[in-house]
Amino acid sequence: MTHATGQAHPEETLDALLLFQDNQLQQMLTLLAEEKALLQGRTHHHLARVADDKAELAMRLEEVDNRIANHPGLHEPQWQEKLQAMKQLARECSHANAVNGEMIEQLRARQGDQSELMLRLLGRSTRTYDAKGKASSKTRLLTDLRA
């Protein structure tokens, strides 16, 4: 459908490209909502599939975006409303992705804290703190005693 340069074929209508891209953006919003639900529900075993699907869809979105950007009819006035609507959908996707990213970071930090707590409870933590309260991972004090 595209030339090696990413240029759109002349017979590829801008209307068809915009419709396809709109569909792809709607799919991305659906995937991001699914990802958020999985994160909130702590059903993390499905996250790998969603991440793979998002990556594949993002590549398709980028490819179609390049075809739209290189289409000769892009700047004609009749397409501006559709283009603005697509840009709004893209912003919604970006925002939803950022929210999910923050949730993932919070979960990751919480899991790290929980892991450290479990290690301390098992007596296996190597984390110590300096005079300023900064954490470091030094050798356990009790294993160094030889008495």
Side-chain angles (χ1 to χ4, degrees), residues 103-114:
M103 290 175 66
I104 290 168
E105 273 304 309
Q106 291 170 358
L107 287 169
R108 193 177 68 74
R110 198 172 8 213
Q111 286 175 340
D113 291 346
Q114 289 171 349

Side-chain angles (χ1 to χ4, degrees), residues 126-137:
T126 59
R127 182 171 279 183
T128 57
Y129 300 90
D130 64 17
K132 295 180 183 178
K134 194 171 189 175
S136 65
S137 294

Side-chain angles (χ1 to χ4, degrees), residues 12-19 68 71-87:
E12 193 171 42
T13 69
L14 187 55
D15 191 41
L17 283 171
L18 293 173
L19 184 62
I68 291 169
H71 197 281
L74 178 66
H75 300 291
E76 294 175 15
Q78 73 263 27
W79 305 116
Q80 298 313 303
E81 189 175 322
K82 282 187 178 184
L83 286 167
Q84 290 306 313
M86 253 187 18
K87 288 178 182 181

Side-chain angles (χ1 to χ4, degrees), residues 20-34 49-65 93:
F20 183 74
Q21 190 73 328
D22 181 73
N23 182 274
Q24 298 296 295
L25 287 165
Q26 293 292 345
Q27 285 181 35
M28 181 63 84
L29 278 176
T30 300
L31 259 179
L32 290 164
E34 179 183 357
R49 178 195 49 82
V50 171
D52 290 345
D53 290 350
K54 275 178 38 182
E56 183 180 322
L57 189 52
M59 286 185 344
R60 284 196 313 252
L61 282 164
E62 185 176 356
E63 178 195 332
V64 175
D65 185 54
C93 288

